[in-house]
Amino acid sequence: QVQLVESGGGSVQPGGSLTLSCTASGDSINTYAAAWFRQAPGTERDLVAAITYSSSRTLYADSVEGRFTISRGDANSTIYLQMNKLDPEDTAVYYCAEGRSAIATIANRQGALDAWGQGTLVTVSS
């Protein structure tokens, strides 16, 4: 059973950048499609970005397209989320997750995810 742990959250000014990391143990994260989700106060948990096990395809929410980048480390069981031009609307708890389903399935059905991290808080304010 794979276990996921997020790190890298914190406070940043609007327009700033932040990089989140998700590390896996118990199994190889490279054998699963992976994704980042976020949940802001008073909102549902929604997709931020997803990536195939081979990194051949990525998928982004419209609200972060062009600003955020999801990527895999070099065989080190790590998934990254590079966040640029941050806005107060990006304030949320960010979660990483992975599953054995197709990327479109895990992006649109959270029940298809096999493992979740505990979340890391990102706060964007002046």
Side-chain angles (χ1 to χ4, degrees):
Q1 181 179 358
V2 65
Q3 295 181 335
L4 306 175
V5 179
E6 304 95 337
S7 63
S11 298
V12 64
Q13 292 182 304
S17 298
L18 202 63
T19 299
L20 305 182
S21 299
C22 175
T23 58
S25 62
D27 203 351
S28 175
I29 197 170
N30 291 317
T31 64
Y32 296 83
W36 286 94
F37 292 80
R38 68 184 181 186
Q39 186 169 26
T43 71
E44 297 181 339
R45 184 172 61 191
D46 292 320
L47 176 76
V48 177
I51 187 169
T52 59
Y53 62 87
S54 63
S55 300
S56 61
R57 184 187 175 196
T58 56
L59 181 65
Y60 296 93
D62 290 343
S63 60
V64 306
E65 179 71 47
R67 298 188 297 123
F68 291 11
T69 302
I70 187 171
S71 63
R72 294 184 182 272
D74 295 331
N76 62 353
S77 300
T78 305
I79 301 294
Y80 298 101
L81 183 68
Q82 174 66 49
M83 305 184 293
N84 298 318
K85 299 180 180 179
L86 284 162
D87 185 271
E89 294 295 318
D90 297 315
T91 296
V93 176
Y94 285 71
Y95 302 87
C96 67
E98 62 180 29
R100 295 179 178 178
S101 299
I103 184 172
T105 300
I106 69 168
N108 292 289
R109 186 176 185 275
Q110 295 183 32
L113 279 300
D114 298 314
W116 290 85
Q118 84 290 344
T120 186
L121 177 63
V122 173
T123 301
V124 185
S125 66
S126 59

